[in-house]
Amino acid sequence: GSRSLIGKSAIVTKDADGAAFGAFMTVLRGEGINQMYLFYIWQSDYIQKQIKILMGALINQITSFDIQHLQCFIPSLPEQQAIAAVLSSADEEISLLQHDLEQEKLKKKSLMQLLLTGLVRV
């Protein structure tokens, strides 16, 4: 697989029932682990650094054995849920801010066009 895709993650909900997963994918189901917490911990620098070490220099893969030996802290389920909720809220805020930034960039582009064509004078 592509080196840049190794260790990427997504949450698969019940909406994906009946979906097939590719040969270069692994589905993780954590017993007693909040899905959102697992999603966030998998994206953490701590786990991603372990994955890079496991990949080595030549082979772009990690195995199920490798995944089973990744080390991470798993707090109680209520704490996992609280952590996941805070991170989800932060992700939503970032998404809204990115949308606002794109809107402001479009406004700037439009204003620049008006100024440069002389339709609006300063």
Side-chain angles (χ1 to χ4, degrees):
S2 170
R3 191 168 193 79
S4 65
L5 295 176
I6 304 296
K8 296 293 182 195
S9 61
I11 293 179
V12 180
T13 64
K14 293 189 185 289
D15 296 335
D17 279 350
F21 297 95
F24 295 102
M25 296 174 66
T26 298
V27 177
L28 298 177
R29 293 182 182 97
E31 293 293 321
I33 298 177
N34 177 279
Q35 280 186 12
M36 289 298 292
Y37 180 80
L38 182 60
F39 173 73
Y40 285 116
I41 197 79
W42 190 259
Q43 293 181 63
S44 71
D45 286 343
Y46 185 72
I47 293 293
Q48 292 300 312
K49 285 177 186 176
Q50 290 180 65
I51 289 170
K52 285 186 176 127
I53 291 167
L54 290 170
M55 280 195 321
L58 302 173
I59 300 173
N60 291 334
Q61 73 174 13
I62 55 173
T63 66
S64 295
F65 179 83
D66 293 332
I67 292 171
Q68 290 174 1
H69 290 88
L70 293 173
Q71 295 181 3
C72 65
F73 177 70
I74 306 293
S76 68
L77 194 55
E79 191 170 352
Q80 291 174 41
Q81 292 165 334
I83 291 167
V86 167
L87 294 173
S88 291
S89 179
D91 278 347
E92 288 173 18
E93 181 69 21
I94 290 167
S95 188
L96 289 171
L97 290 170
Q98 285 173 331
H99 176 75
D100 289 348
L101 177 61
E102 290 305 313
Q103 293 300 312
E104 292 302 319
K105 284 181 179 180
L106 286 173
K107 287 179 191 177
K108 177 185 174 185
K109 186 177 180 179
S110 297
L111 183 56
M112 292 285 289
Q113 192 65 25
L114 291 171
L115 290 167
L116 292 173
T117 58
L119 292 174
V120 172
R121 299 187 56 84
V122 184

